[in-house]
Amino acid sequence: MGDAVAASTRPRPAEWPVRGRVLSLARPIIVGIVNVTPDSFSDGGRYLAPDAAIAHAETLVAEGADLLDVGGESTRPQGALPIDAAEELRRVVPVVRDLVRRMPEVPVSVDTVKAEVARAALDVGAAVVNDVSGFRLDPALAPVCAQAGVGVILMHSRGGVSDMGTYAHATYGADVTGEVVDELGLAVARGEAGGVAAERIVLDPGIGFAKRSEHSLRLLAELPRVVALGHPVLVGVSRKRFIGELTGVKEPEGRVFGTTGANVAALARGARLFRVHDVRAARHALDVAWAALGGAA
Ligand code: HH2
């Protein structure tokens, strides 16, 4: 039996163990974005003050977020400004600490590529590490995640933090999905070599990262090939450039309807986790779509 056949018959994971708890995948998981950055592409600067970030996070939970993803370093499409660990720690740690204290029932994820930042966030209670480099950029990160027994989200990207959001590395042959699947397989291997249990790994095709719109759309259409790797799949389509290109909406805040369309399509193709800015829209749309798809799309 070929690998593809073996993969397609692999049972879909029904749960995702993160640190200290298990998240059920029996309905879509909504991951609310908390950007503590001055320069994020759609909400840069709005929640830079810790109090503003925390108030925003509380709103996202009230609207139905299952998990909060706190990030201190932007990967914006116009080319991000890399920041050092000290600045990222200063932005992220107080917010993670406060969220865990105020809402201990809500798991918090830290969006970082740096082991040092992950370690500090885990020390104050983070339950998940979201690495947009898929364990490519910091070899110390996988062992940190393994030791703490956290859940990890491994996203596909190419290049460094400052250019992974651009087209600098958007060079693919005829089968973009095949290349992304292969590179996600390498990310899983790096995790396992570092001691991370396979069941703790969620995979993400990295929509818009080193990808033109045609690449992102092809990946969404062919998402079952990513699902076939046997890990729960997360998509981050929220307010992204390809939605602006398809709808003609220039302002990222105006892309919520397009975002909803992309998320529902991804749900039907097997995604189970959805990283979004607009939680209420995603909660309602995905819960209804899930029920209408029979709860087992
Ligand atoms: N997208 C962004 C950041 N982190 N993490 C995962 N796993 N998947 C994604 O698609 C993803 C991500 C970019 O969006 P945003 O956080 O809004 O912007 P910025 O990088 O400018 O802060």
Side-chain angles (χ1 to χ4, degrees), residues 3 5 14 21 26 36 54 71 73 84 111 126 150 154 156 160 162-163 199 203-204 214 224 230 263 297:
D3 279 356
V5 176
R21 72 197 98 196
V36 197
I54 285 151
E73 181 170 51
D84 62 21
D111 184 343
V150 287
L154 298 183
H156 176 268
S162 57
D163 67 357
E199 59 177 11
L203 293 178
D204 177 347
E214 74 241 35
N263 275 331

Side-chain angles (χ1 to χ4, degrees), residues 30 32 34 54-68 99 103 105-108 279-280 283:
I30 308 295
V34 182
I54 285 151
H56 179 60
E58 286 177 339
T59 302
L60 298 183
V61 170
E63 291 180 352
D66 300 296
L67 175 69
L68 294 168
L99 288 176
M103 299 184 284
E105 72 288 359
V106 181
V108 175
V279 166
R280 191 194 303 277
R283 179 85 275 162

Side-chain angles (χ1 to χ4, degrees), residues 28-204:
I29 300 261
I30 308 295
V31 181
I33 300 172
V34 182
N35 279 328
V36 197
T37 54
D39 55 343
S40 286
F41 78 97
S42 86
D43 55 4
R46 282 186 65 180
Y47 312 113
L48 187 55
D51 285 356
I54 285 151
H56 179 60
E58 286 177 339
T59 302
L60 298 183
V61 170
E63 291 180 352
D66 300 296
L67 175 69
L68 294 168
D69 188 37
V70 178
E73 181 170 51
S74 174
T75 49
R76 72 208 291 264
Q78 297 79 8
L81 303 169
I83 55 169
D84 62 21
E87 174 62 15
E88 200 178 336
L89 287 166
R90 200 182 62 73
R91 291 180 189 174
V92 158
V93 172
V95 173
V96 173
R97 181 192 290 120
D98 237 51
L99 288 176
V100 170
R101 269 200 205 133
R102 283 169 190 242
M103 299 184 284
E105 72 288 359
V106 181
V108 175
S109 154
V110 58
D111 184 343
T112 187
V113 299
K114 300 186 185 77
E116 188 181 346
V117 174
R119 195 181 291 115
L122 298 175
D123 283 348
V124 295
V128 171
V129 172
N130 172 22
D131 178 7
V132 296
S133 84
F135 287 151
R136 275 187 308 109
L137 295 180
D138 187 343
L141 183 51
V144 165
C145 295
Q147 220 171 9
V150 287
V152 299
I153 299 166
L154 298 183
M155 194 195 82
H156 176 268
S157 64
R158 290 175 174 176
V161 168
S162 57
D163 67 357
M164 61 173 66
T166 72
Y167 298 142
H169 304 282
T171 46
Y172 300 92
D175 183 15
V176 56
T177 307
E179 292 184 43
V180 169
V181 165
D182 287 350
E183 290 168 37
L184 283 173
L186 297 176
V188 171
R190 284 189 289 272
E192 290 183 335
V196 178
E199 59 177 11
R200 295 194 182 271
I201 298 176
V202 162
L203 293 178
D204 177 347

